[in-house]
Structure formats: C-alpha cells, structure tokens
Amino acid sequence: MSETSKTSKTSQASETSETSETLREKALRLDAADELGKLREKFALDEVTYLDGNSLGALPAHVPARMADVITREWGELRIRSWDESGWWTAPERIGDRIAPLVGAAPGQVVVSDSTSVNVFKAVVGAVRLAGDDRDEILVDATTFPTDGYIAESAARMTGRRIVPVAPADMASAAGPRTAAALVNHVDYRTGRLHDLPGITAALHAAGALAVWDLCHSAGALPVGLDAHGVDLAVGCTYKYLNGGPGSPAYLYVAERHQAAFDSPLPGWNSHTDPFGMTPGYEAAAGALRGRVGTPDILSLLALESALDVWDGVDVEAVRAKSLALTDFFLECVREYAPAGRVESLTPGAHAERGSQVALRCAEAPAVMAESIRRGVVGDLRRPDVLRFGFTPLYVGFADTERAARVLAEVLAEVPAQVPARVPAG
C-alpha cells in the first residue's frame, strides 16, 4: 500500500472517530435533558439496545409481582369469587377506560377484549351495518397489514359488499356515494409512514361513509385524537407501545354516537344485557360493552392493566416530542456512520408523516439484522429488504439510538454488499 493510501485511510478513520465522539456527546446531552428518561427504570431492561418495541414492548418491572398475586391469591385462594371480589368481570371496560386517554377518547367508548383481528372484524362489519344497505363498497388501505386485508375481505363476503384497495393518500378522493366504510392503518407497519387521520376521516364523512382506524403502530407513541377528529370506530393491539405483554388483548373503540345502533357480528353472552339470565334471545348491552364477546382472558387482561401503570402522569404530547427527536437523531447518526449507498430510509423525513419507527431498505437486510442482534442491537426484519427500528420513548434513550446506528454501520462495513446479477447481453 502506498504512503498516500495509508495517509488517506488514517485520515478517514480519524474523521469517523471524531464524528462518532461528537454524536456520542450529543446523545449524552440529550439524555441529560430528557424529561421522560427516568421512566426507563420502570422496565426490566439489560445492556441490549432494544429497538423492537413496535413489535413487542418491554416488560414493566412491577408486572411479575402483580401477576404472582393474581395467580396465587385471586385465582389460587379466591377462585371463582374473584369475578366479583377482584373485579375480574368489569376488567374489559375498566382497562378500556385506562387506554382511552392514550387514544384521545372519553370514558365509556373503549373495551378491551379478543385479538386485533377479531376486533377488526367486529368494527368493519359493524361499520357496514351502520352505513346502511345502499352502500356496497368497503375501501381498504392498499398497504395494510395483511391480516386487516384478509379480515376485511371476509367481512365484505359476509355483508355482500366489495373490497376496493386504495392507497391512503388517495382515500379521500376514492370515497363516494357507494362507500360504506374505510379501514385504514394510522401508521404503516412496514415504512413507519403516518397517515392523515383527521383529513381522511373528514373526507369519508363528507362522502357519507364511516372511518375505521387501526392504531396498532400509533397508540402509545403519538396523540391519536379519536374523539376530537370524529373517528367512528377504531381497533388496536396492546403489546407494542402499550407494553401489555405477548398476545395481550386488543381493544375496540366505538364512538358514543354509534353505540346504540352498533350491531356486532359476534353477539356473545358477555355482551348480553343480562349475561347470567341465559335467555335464548340476544339483547345487546348498552355502551362499549357491546364489543365484548366471550369470557375475558383474565391473566393477560390483568397483566396489561398492571403494565399501564407506567403511563400514570405521562403526557402523550411529550412522548410524541421525544419520539420525533429520537427518530431524527437516529437518521442523523445513520447518515454520518453508515457506508454510502448501503441503506435508504423508507420513513418520511417530515414529522407530520412519521410514526415512531425508522425503516431502512438494505439489500443485505437478513444478514445485517441477524448480526446486529448478535451484537446486542435488536430491531427486526421485514422481508426481503427492510430493517425496522422502533423507538419507544418511555424506555429508549439517545445513547441507545447512537449505539444502534454505530453498530449498524459496523455491521454494514463487514457484510459484503450484494452485487446485482448481470443480465446476459443479447
């Protein structure tokens, strides 16, 4: 190697080291000023940099003790008495009222039960029934999480409607006199793009249609404003930014103005006005209780209820501000650290269009993510070529963010770049 080459490499290494030190110092300054930073101690975390809270939130440290009491005392000692004495029977609506402020809903409109998929089915069929028989199409976010699409197609077959896939940006112009309802994701699960909930909802209403929103990738990361923006129905999971635990039950929001007419396609005994009357005819209970179906999953419900304690006193607007700061900083670090041309951000730069994750397109994504996880930076992969990094403001800090970008750059420098296959001439 020539002396000139050696000098050039030494200079590049020195510049990289100086940049790294500067960004580390910035991370420390930002962490010192972070008003939410103290919440990290409420979670069971180790030295791993955990950026997969958009798939499964971290465990709140106090939940195991609460669940030990639920299992040994409420179940083990009180047994069936706990339905009354421990408040098991009212848990779905009680916990719904704890989630309500996080999605901008007044009490009495959110019930926690079943899975997101089941609640999507209830919401879409319920919305179509509310819209009336003269509207024969259901608009579906064309970029939706696959299950939402599967469920919507089934709901359309059941109700004699047709599915119309539409890009969220075109949803407003696509809605018309034949539209019964639209099912839209608030944040795209793959790219992290935040869609225009107020604008799309208003456009659907102008066309006489109902708006059904999937909040799985937004609730707990940013303000939603269900009541303020006139959303009709919404669903969401609780195991991502709400940290409810693997498979924790989902929730269903039915706006108060629709509750008296909401006709659930799953009229189970738990939503009967007199569930223990055991009458052959179904008569729906009043209010959000109509969203219940069968016997609640008490252990998961109470783990979720305990996990929600970490939100006491937390301002969702402050969470949003930190989320944007974290994702801004991560993108800055990636630009500084990553080898040129190896990754491309799919996540919008504009704050108004960004959720709380950063998605990077990378041709070597499977190998890169596997090695990053081995080195203690946990994100996830969306095949074939997307690296996802979720930023949960309650426990992710700026030093975590800088480390993640630095490790990513180190891995990219070591994983060989894929060379596009040559197309034979002629």
Side-chain angles (χ1 to χ4, degrees):
M1 181 182 293
S2 68
E3 288 301 320
T4 302
S5 296
K6 289 180 180 178
T7 301
S8 176
K9 285 186 176 292
T10 301
S11 175
Q12 290 173 6
S14 176
E15 290 176 6
T16 300
S17 177
E18 290 175 5
T19 299
S20 178
E21 190 60 36
T22 300
L23 289 172
R24 288 184 201 179
E25 291 173 354
K26 181 176 180 179
L28 293 175
R29 290 196 302 273
L30 291 169
D31 278 333
D34 177 17
E35 64 181 279
L36 299 178
K38 62 183 181 298
L39 295 174
R40 183 187 181 97
E41 65 190 27
K42 295 188 175 185
F43 292 86
L45 294 166
D46 50 24
E47 70 281 359
V48 168
T49 296
Y50 189 65
L51 299 184
D52 208 6
N54 55 327
S55 286
L56 177 64
L59 170 69
H62 65 279
V63 170
R66 168 62 178 141
M67 293 314 296
D69 181 63
V70 169
I71 291 170
T72 59
R73 183 180 61 85
E74 294 186 8
W75 179 15
E77 297 175 14
L78 295 178
R79 293 176 287 274
I80 201 166
R81 290 163 53 194
S82 276
W83 285 105
D84 290 323
E85 296 180 25
S86 300
W88 288 1
W89 184 259
T90 57
E93 57 268 29
R94 182 178 73 242
I95 301 169
D97 281 346
R98 293 195 65 182
I99 291 173
L102 301 178
V103 294
Q109 299 177 99
V110 179
V111 65
V112 179
S113 69
D114 308 308
S115 67
T116 306
S117 299
V118 172
N119 284 325
V120 167
F121 180 71
K122 297 177 201 171
V124 172
V125 174
V128 168
R129 289 174 174 175
L130 286 167
D133 295 335
D134 58 336
R135 291 173 175 263
D136 65 353
E137 68 181 21
I138 303 170
L139 305 184
V140 176
D141 177 351
T143 59
T144 190
F145 188 76
T147 291
D148 284 19
Y150 307 155
I151 296 292
E153 287 178 4
S154 178
R157 290 195 301 272
M158 266 192 56
T159 58
R161 269 65 175 183
R162 65 189 185 99
I163 289 290
V164 181
V166 179
D170 300 327
M171 195 71 70
S173 59
R178 299 179 64 178
T179 307
L183 172 63
V184 197
N185 285 258
H186 196 193
V187 172
D188 186 294
Y189 78 100
R190 192 166 180 270
T191 67
R193 177 178 290 276
L194 174 65
H195 296 134
D196 181 11
L197 182 147
I200 292 173
T201 300
L204 289 167
H205 288 172
L210 281 80
V212 181
W213 286 89
D214 182 330
L215 310 178
C216 285
H217 287 270
S218 60
L222 53 90
V224 177
L226 294 179
D227 286 352
H229 301 306
V231 169
D232 300 293
L233 299 104
V235 302
C237 66
T238 61
Y239 48 79
K240 300 182 190 295
Y241 296 109
L242 299 183
N243 311 297
S248 56
Y251 56 89
L252 170 68
Y253 163 89
V254 181
E256 184 177 14
R257 65 185 180 280
H258 292 309
Q259 289 176 0
F262 177 67
D263 182 9
S264 173
L266 297 173
W269 76 286
N270 255 236
S271 61
H272 197 286
T273 189
D274 183 15
F276 293 97
M278 303 299 174
T279 56
Y282 179 77
E283 183 180 345
L289 285 173
R290 291 187 176 202
R292 293 177 64 154
V293 183
T295 305
D297 185 339
I298 291 298
L299 297 184
S300 288
L301 266 174
L302 299 186
L304 167 62
E305 182 174 37
S306 182
L308 290 171
D309 289 347
V310 300
W311 287 95
D312 290 346
V314 175
D315 181 0
V316 179
E317 294 287 351
V319 171
R320 175 59 168 164
K322 182 178 176 182
S323 163
L324 292 172
L326 286 168
T327 49
D328 278 344
F329 186 54
F330 182 68
L331 289 168
E332 177 187 359
C333 291
V334 169
R335 285 192 297 270
E336 290 290 343
Y337 291 165
R342 295 294 297 279
V343 294
E344 171 198 0
S345 177
L346 300 178
T347 302
H351 285 181
E353 299 174 3
R354 188 194 308 166
S356 198
Q357 73 179 51
V358 172
L360 302 176
R361 175 172 285 136
C362 174
E364 307 78 26
V368 168
M369 184 53 71
E371 181 59 20
S372 295
I373 292 172
R374 192 185 72 78
R375 298 186 188 194
V377 173
V378 178
D380 72 5
L381 171 72
R382 284 294 175 264
R383 294 181 298 178
D385 60 356
V386 176
L387 304 167
R388 291 197 322 171
F389 299 92
F391 294 84
T392 305
L394 298 192
Y395 55 76
V396 173
F398 293 91
D400 299 319
T401 302
E402 186 275 335
R403 181 193 178 208
R406 180 162 34 87
V407 168
L408 173 64
E410 292 168 358
V411 172
L412 287 168
E414 296 177 18
V415 172
Q418 289 187 6
V419 179
R422 289 176 177 267
V423 178

